[in-house]
Amino acid sequence: MKHTRSLATSAGSLSRHRVLSSSSALVLRRASTVSHDDHHHDSHEDGAYTTESFFTPFWRNALIVTLFGYGLYSYAPEPVSKDGQESKIRAWIRQSLTPTEIWQQRNESHLTLSKTAADAKWLSGTAQRPPIHRYRYYGAFEDASPHNVPVGDTSADTSGLVIKTEQRTKL
């Protein structure tokens, strides 16, 4: 038995081939005619370039900041003088900074909050649904009468038991 394609299938593939080949020819033809057009080279270059030098405002400001920093470092007083007093600049910086004890308290509170958040995320990530016991022979519940229970028997009352089967749970 030979495998043959239907006439409609082969005609459809031929027509698609013709459309693709004719559209690619149009694209090529359009591209070739556009490339010979003289008006597409609308150049805005006059040949005048901006001069690049180190005398722009950026480099001037960089030089000023560098000289100021070097002067400050060279002529600033030492952090602690020989008689044990610290400089006014260092005292002002120390006064404006947050004390180390406050940072330690903030870090410890952040650590405890991060730990509780991580524990909560772990708890919710590892949570599982309670196991569902599926009985193979669920008709065993209906075998005995729920009213035929001897006195003193501590077994559960199964009179209101509704058995969920696979068909019932999918609905």
Side-chain angles (χ1 to χ4, degrees):
M1 181 171 154
K2 287 185 174 181
H3 294 284
T4 58
R5 293 184 354 182
S6 69
L7 186 59
T9 306
S10 60
S13 66
L14 285 176
S15 66
R16 259 183 275 144
H17 181 66
R18 283 187 206 138
V19 169
L20 289 176
S21 63
S22 65
S23 66
S24 62
L26 285 175
V27 170
L28 290 175
R29 189 175 305 131
R30 250 188 267 133
S32 66
T33 57
V34 171
S35 66
H36 298 293
D37 189 11
D38 292 333
H39 297 292
H40 76 284
H41 290 290
D42 191 17
S43 174
H44 296 290
E45 297 179 11
D46 312 11
Y49 296 104
T50 60
T51 57
E52 296 180 6
S53 68
F54 287 107
F55 299 110
T56 60
F58 171 76
W59 290 110
R60 180 197 62 209
N61 294 341
L63 180 66
I64 291 171
V65 167
T66 304
L67 291 175
F68 180 74
Y70 178 74
L72 185 65
Y73 181 75
S74 298
Y75 298 108
E78 293 184 19
V80 178
S81 64
K82 293 179 182 175
D83 58 356
Q85 291 183 344
E86 61 183 7
S87 67
K88 292 181 181 179
I89 296 173
R90 187 176 175 111
W92 176 74
I93 290 173
R94 182 187 307 253
Q95 185 181 13
S96 63
L97 291 177
T98 308
T100 309
E101 296 82 21
I102 292 176
W103 282 113
Q104 286 177 346
Q105 290 172 356
R106 288 180 185 174
N107 288 338
E108 288 173 5
S109 66
H110 182 265
L111 178 66
T112 57
L113 290 173
S114 297
K115 176 77 171 126
T116 55
D119 289 342
K121 188 174 183 179
W122 179 81
L123 180 66
S124 64
T126 58
Q128 293 180 353
R129 289 185 166 188
I132 298 174
H133 300 287
R134 304 238 184 240
Y135 292 104
R136 187 170 182 183
Y137 303 110
Y138 55 88
F141 287 108
E142 299 172 355
D143 286 345
S145 171
H147 304 293
N148 190 14
V149 179
V151 176
D153 191 11
T154 58
S155 62
D157 181 22
T158 59
S159 61
L161 179 68
V162 177
I163 302 167
K164 292 184 179 179
T165 61
E166 289 293 325
Q167 295 86 13
R168 199 172 214 188
T169 56
K170 289 180 183 177
L171 295 176

